[in-house]
Amino acid sequence: MIFHSPANAGAELLNTARCIAREVAAPHAAAVDTDARFPVETLRALRQARLLSAQLPSALGGVGLGMRELGDIVSALAECCAASAMVLAMHYNQVACLVRHADGNAAIEAFLLRLAGEQLLVASMTSEVGTSGDMRRSVCAVECDKEEFRLEKEATTASYCAHADAILVTARRHPDAAPSDQVLVLVRRDQCSLTQTSEWDTLGMRGTCSPGFRLIASGPVDQILPSFGDIATRSMVPYSHILWSALWTGIAAGAFQKAGAFVRQQARATPGNVPSGAFRHAAPSADLQPLPHNWEVAAQFFDQTVADGRDASVFSTLQWALRMNNLKIASSEAAPQVVHAALQVIGVLRYKKHSPFSVGREYRDVLSGALMVSNDRPGAASASLLLISKEGAAR
């Protein structure tokens, strides 16, 4: 099946994404989950629709979608296959780091042009053995010899790296640098070797295929983005928290829709009577309602702040950090409640794995939100920030 993306217009690209979700992602979602395999069919369709370059400006071959539009696409895909949506969300995050921080770097811009032309997939490698999951610290270091760099890293989890065309890797700036003095390195797949060091046999999000890897890479030094601290603050953190919140909203919405379909089936079977499940169905609707609003408002604020050229100052404030932490925690904790409530609407038919109303996959996938990046980490960060800023508590 071939999908044709429009020359411009986020609404049409969103409609294309919804079509891919229904006609490609949904039919393969169970196999992706059961076999813990990469969602190759969905990624093929996303490439054909040119959705992997949707956020790039027209000068680099994209259509310039903002955070709000990207979130809508991710959420629509998550309603049918959370693993596919997570891969796309993380790809959008990595591309944002490149396009927003290239600063005229010809090598990075050439790569982005190639990404648009070939619909390349970009993966992430920020975790590392010895850092306890702290993205803002690295053990490995970039070693530069004239115009070439060399890098070795052992990652505890490496998001879909075996299936990507390029990987963004965090590392210390040089062998004598402090753990927090980091750079972000663009590594093309043909510039590295990957050796898998662990398995990815997880409760949920099985199709993201993110085991541990040992990476050995080399390439031109102009593929190094110099200040990961700035990149994380202005791009990686907001893109991850906002797009992940959109994703968890999509999972919850998909489960809620299944519950609604079940209730309507009951109603057709007993004309004139209100099914017992209808009363239970009202409860998750109240929990679901604020979920899209929360991430959409944050996305719109992000887009407007970037358009105004104020992101360097605004996104470094304590208030913005608190807002991102709160969004991540609130969304990842509220979405599972919606899925759980939807499970109660249907009861045992949802508990059965092979029922058309089963939400076992959604239930397991949505739990990842509070675990894969533990809510304890942003929670502890917020606690520290609130000690510093009384203003942050009121905004």
Side-chain angles (χ1 to χ4, degrees):
M1 184 177 298
I2 298 177
F3 297 90
H4 299 284
S5 63
N8 50 44
E12 293 188 43
L13 281 177
L14 176 58
N15 287 335
T16 299
R18 287 171 174 157
C19 181
I20 292 172
R22 291 191 308 269
E23 300 185 22
V24 182
H28 294 95
V32 166
D33 175 67
T34 301
D35 301 335
R37 69 166 178 84
F38 192 70
V40 291
E41 299 87 357
T42 303
L43 263 292
R44 185 183 305 119
L46 293 172
R47 283 188 165 108
Q48 291 173 342
R50 300 188 61 78
L51 277 161
L52 297 189
S53 59
Q55 73 205 94
L56 295 179
S58 58
L60 292 174
V63 294
L65 297 193
M67 181 80 82
R68 169 62 195 277
E69 294 165 313
L70 297 178
D72 284 335
I73 290 170
V74 168
S75 189
L77 193 57
E79 291 184 17
C80 297
C81 179
S84 298
M86 178 60 80
V87 170
L88 185 61
M90 295 190 71
H91 166 80
Y92 283 153
N93 191 341
Q94 305 312 298
V95 175
C97 293
L98 292 172
V99 71
R100 284 175 41 76
H101 301 273
D103 293 328
N105 184 316
I108 300 298
E109 291 181 353
F111 172 79
L112 292 172
L113 282 168
R114 183 183 166 197
L115 184 154
E118 302 176 31
Q119 292 298 289
L120 304 181
L121 179 66
V122 185
S124 169
M125 186 181 283
T126 58
S127 71
E128 189 172 4
V129 174
T131 63
S132 301
D134 186 354
M135 180 181 71
R136 300 299 291 268
R137 292 191 300 123
S138 291
V139 175
C140 68
V142 175
E143 298 179 8
C144 296
D145 180 16
K146 295 182 180 179
E147 299 302 316
E148 296 287 318
F149 74 82
R150 189 176 188 280
L151 174 62
E152 295 188 24
K153 179 167 185 169
E154 188 162 347
T156 54
T157 58
S159 303
Y160 57 90
C161 284
H163 305 273
D165 302 295
I167 308 168
L168 288 189
V169 186
T170 51
R172 288 185 294 138
R173 188 179 305 274
H174 53 76
D176 296 325
S180 60
D181 185 8
Q182 297 168 289
V183 295
L184 190 64
V185 186
L186 169 64
V187 177
R188 298 197 313 267
R189 191 64 183 83
D190 61 352
Q191 294 173 326
C192 69
S193 65
L194 287 173
T195 303
Q196 187 170 329
T197 57
S198 65
E199 298 299 318
W200 185 252
D201 188 8
T202 54
L203 184 67
M205 288 294 180
R206 294 168 57 79
T208 61
C209 300
S210 303
F213 280 100
R214 180 178 298 109
L215 173 140
I216 301 176
S218 60
V221 295
D222 54 7
Q223 290 178 202
I224 301 174
L225 296 176
S227 178
F228 179 65
D230 182 56
I231 294 170
T233 298
R234 292 172 55 197
S235 297
M236 187 169 284
V237 169
Y239 266 84
S240 61
H241 288 353
I242 294 173
L243 294 184
W244 287 347
S245 295
L247 185 151
W248 300 323
T249 298
I251 298 174
F256 180 77
Q257 289 166 13
K258 282 188 178 180
F262 176 78
V263 170
R264 287 190 292 274
Q265 183 184 80
Q266 281 190 317
R268 288 193 296 269
T270 57
N273 296 317
V274 178
S276 59
F279 299 102
R280 283 186 174 271
H281 192 229
S285 69
D287 293 330
L288 179 62
Q289 186 173 351
L291 276 173
H293 172 79
N294 291 343
W295 77 258
E296 287 168 2
V297 169
Q300 289 167 348
F301 180 84
F302 179 93
D303 288 336
Q304 188 60 57
T305 302
V306 171
D308 294 342
R310 297 185 297 118
D311 54 303
S313 58
V314 172
F315 296 161
S316 62
T317 63
L318 299 182
Q319 288 74 27
W320 175 255
L322 282 167
R323 183 173 187 175
M324 289 295 95
N325 290 343
N326 291 340
L327 175 65
K328 193 273 181 186
I329 293 171
S331 299
S332 63
E333 292 183 351
Q337 295 176 14
V338 175
V339 179
H340 181 76
L343 176 66
Q344 302 304 310
V345 172
I346 297 177
V348 71
L349 287 181
R350 280 218 158 183
Y351 196 63
K352 291 180 177 180
K353 290 181 64 176
H354 301 294
S355 163
F357 300 107
S358 172
V359 292
R361 173 169 47 83
E362 291 91 335
Y363 206 113
R364 290 181 286 104
D365 286 341
V366 79
L367 293 176
S368 69
L371 299 173
M372 291 175 70
V373 175
S374 173
N375 280 354
D376 288 346
R377 192 176 297 279
S382 291
S384 298
L385 291 173
L386 287 169
L387 289 174
I388 300 170
S389 173
K390 293 182 180 179
E391 294 178 2
R395 295 190 180 185

